[in-house]
Amino acid sequence: MDTITSDPLVEMTTGSTTVPTITDFYAGKDILITGATGFVGKVLVEKLLRSCGDVGNLYCLIRPKSGKDHNQRLLAILSEKLFDRVRKERPACIGKVKAVNGDIIEGNLGLSAEDEAMLISNVSVLFHCAATVKFNEPLRLAIRMNVAGVQRVVKLTEKLTKLESFVHVSTAYANCDKNRISECVYPPPMCPEKLIKAVGWMDDSMCDAVCPFVLGNWPNTYTYTKAMAEYIIVQGKRDIPTSIIRPSIIGAAWREPFPGWIDNFNGPTGLLIGVSKGLLRLMKGERKAIADIIPVDIFVNMLITVGWYTGTCRPEKVNVFHCTSGSVNKVSWGEIGNLFSVFYLFSTLRVGQCACISHLSCTM
């Protein structure tokens, strides 16, 4: 049975008070998770159930989609192969996962009065993972989800009477307009409130027209809105122990719950699929640029640890944690291209399907 513990964490003390282990901290605590139907959210739910078996209920904010209500979507997720180990090792824990009907783009998160009262009375830890991660998302929707949505979550934290730890998932690229990024929150590119109000009265064509001017030095709406969301977290903190975690590119699982698990074609996975199908034979880029990829299980382990740290040490200010590999375990995109080539040349794929991208070139 995998557990999230290590000697420094188990033995760490603050003054004369012994800090609980990670598993002890989560024991009996009810947790609210937004974005539980997403890539990271699924792995977070699975890891909490499997490694923190004494955890309380896991409330997952889920919106109806594709003709399925929140409960049906949760049942579909829990039946995935991802949860095979939980069903085998801790079958009773599956019943701890509860679907809560809601949507981060709706007022009050779309919560019913009954569900809101239930969350207010029970939730001790909140992981906010929900966001749109599309780089080319229209400005209006990106702001509704990644900025206004965060604002609504912050307002909910103010009502949660038992809340001990609030963790917001950001991105290491939120401040990509800077050459060096420290573990701190930077001033926003503009006042979030003004931008939210502006897109409220502009139509889609106006939003699209002003988008390049709004983004400025940011390359896309994703990184821009994530930068603004961090500022909203800081502004709304008050006395709630709060942390922000910034992962780089999140890739397939390294080890847990089993090697290679992934459920999407985003990022490097889409690149790999394009190569394997022979659709991608040449790519514009910098061979020496660092491919800062973090396996999803490594990130989720850190996410859970940050939740523990935030709740036990109760920092006065918003702490920021980077979860990246580029500075300690450098792998370039050129090296990844070479690895792809070797893998496909010696895999069971037919030679005609192989596509070598070792000649990844730079014209930038």
Side-chain angles (χ1 to χ4, degrees), residues 1 15 28 53 55 63 89 107 129 180 191 199 205 209-210 231 264 273 291 308 334-335 360:
M1 182 69 61
V55 70
R63 64 186 174 93
E89 299 170 9
C129 307
R180 183 177 180 83
C191 175
V199 299
S205 61
V210 302
Y231 183 74
N264 62 76
I273 296 298
W308 162 82
E335 290 173 303
L360 189 71

Side-chain angles (χ1 to χ4, degrees), residues 120-194:
I120 289 173
S121 302
N122 294 287
V123 170
S124 298
V125 180
L126 196 163
F127 291 106
H128 180 46
C129 307
T132 174
V133 298
K134 295 179 180 178
F135 289 174
N136 61 344
E137 193 76 82
L139 182 63
R140 180 195 304 281
L141 182 55
I143 291 172
R144 288 182 67 192
M145 294 188 69
N146 294 354
V147 183
V150 170
Q151 197 174 60
R152 295 185 186 100
V153 172
V154 169
K155 289 180 180 178
L156 177 63
T157 64
E158 299 169 1
K159 305 175 186 178
L160 302 178
T161 57
K162 292 185 177 180
L163 190 61
E164 300 178 26
S165 175
F166 172 37
V167 184
H168 168 71
V169 177
S170 184
T171 172
Y173 304 102
N175 302 285
C176 57
D177 61 316
K178 298 172 176 58
N179 292 326
R180 183 177 180 83
I181 303 169
S182 300
E183 291 182 324
C184 65
V185 176
Y186 295 91
M190 72 175 293
C191 175
E193 284 283 356
K194 291 182 179 180

Side-chain angles (χ1 to χ4, degrees), residues 32-88:
L32 173 60
I33 302 172
T34 70
T37 60
F39 180 42
V40 169
K42 292 178 184 178
V43 180
L44 174 60
V45 170
E46 193 276 341
K47 182 63 173 179
L48 285 169
L49 293 178
R50 181 165 48 83
S51 294
C52 302
D54 293 328
V55 70
N57 291 320
L58 303 185
Y59 296 111
C60 301
L61 189 73
I62 301 176
R63 64 186 174 93
K65 184 180 179 182
S66 302
K68 294 182 179 180
D69 66 19
H70 56 294
N71 287 312
Q72 291 172 320
R73 293 188 68 195
L74 177 62
L75 287 175
I77 290 169
L78 295 178
S79 65
E80 292 180 6
K81 184 176 176 60
L82 173 67
F83 290 90
D84 282 356
R85 286 186 63 183
V86 175
R87 282 191 292 268
K88 180 180 178 180

Side-chain angles (χ1 to χ4, degrees), residues 263-286:
D263 72 344
N264 62 76
F265 296 147
N266 297 335
T269 307
L271 181 66
L272 188 150
I273 296 298
V275 171
S276 69
K277 293 295 185 181
L279 301 174
L280 182 60
R281 298 174 181 271
L282 186 68
M283 178 176 173
K284 178 180 178 181
E286 170 56 69

